[in-house]
Amino acid sequence: MWMDWQLSVMGPSITPVFWQLIRTPADKRDQNAIDTGKEKTITAVRMMNEQLGRTKFLASDEFSYGDIPVGIMIYRYMQLIPERPATPNLDRWYAAISSRPAFKEQIAVVPLS
């Protein structure tokens, strides 16, 4: 379920932000696309935060493969949208997954600029 959610909700929300801020030259950026993408991404993150208020990880209280692709998108979110609302449940979850060796070795080493 959360892998599908990442493909259908989170990915399409944050991709315009990524493309505009990272892949588009500054003089050609579409601020409206950035702002709209940020709003949609924050809405998606609030969904996650609500779910993570019920379970330790996305699907249950155990880490699962559903946490992995969403974790990659949240890495982007943390890097690209510094002006984000408080999300204590998501912050707890992100601290747990970002402390894992595989995350440190495979995700956090990828620069977004």
Side-chain angles (χ1 to χ4, degrees), residues 14 17-18 21-22 38 72-84 94 103 107-108 110-113:
I14 200 163
V17 179
F18 174 79
L21 293 178
I22 303 302
K38 286 181 177 183
I72 295 167
M73 293 292 109
I74 296 302
Y75 173 73
R76 283 186 177 181
Y77 170 71
M78 295 294 191
Q79 303 301 310
L80 297 175
I81 305 178
E83 65 285 350
R84 50 189 181 270
Y94 187 71
F103 189 97
I107 307 304
V110 178
L112 292 183
S113 57

Side-chain angles (χ1 to χ4, degrees), residues 54-72:
R54 294 187 289 268
T55 55
K56 185 175 177 182
F57 293 97
L58 285 171
S60 71
D61 287 331
E62 300 296 324
F63 180 80
S64 72
Y65 62 85
D67 293 289
I68 297 168
V70 178
I72 295 167

Side-chain angles (χ1 to χ4, degrees), residues 92-106:
R92 173 199 43 80
W93 170 84
Y94 187 71
I97 68 161
S98 64
S99 70
R100 298 172 72 87
F103 189 97
K104 290 178 183 178
E105 295 166 10
Q106 301 299 319

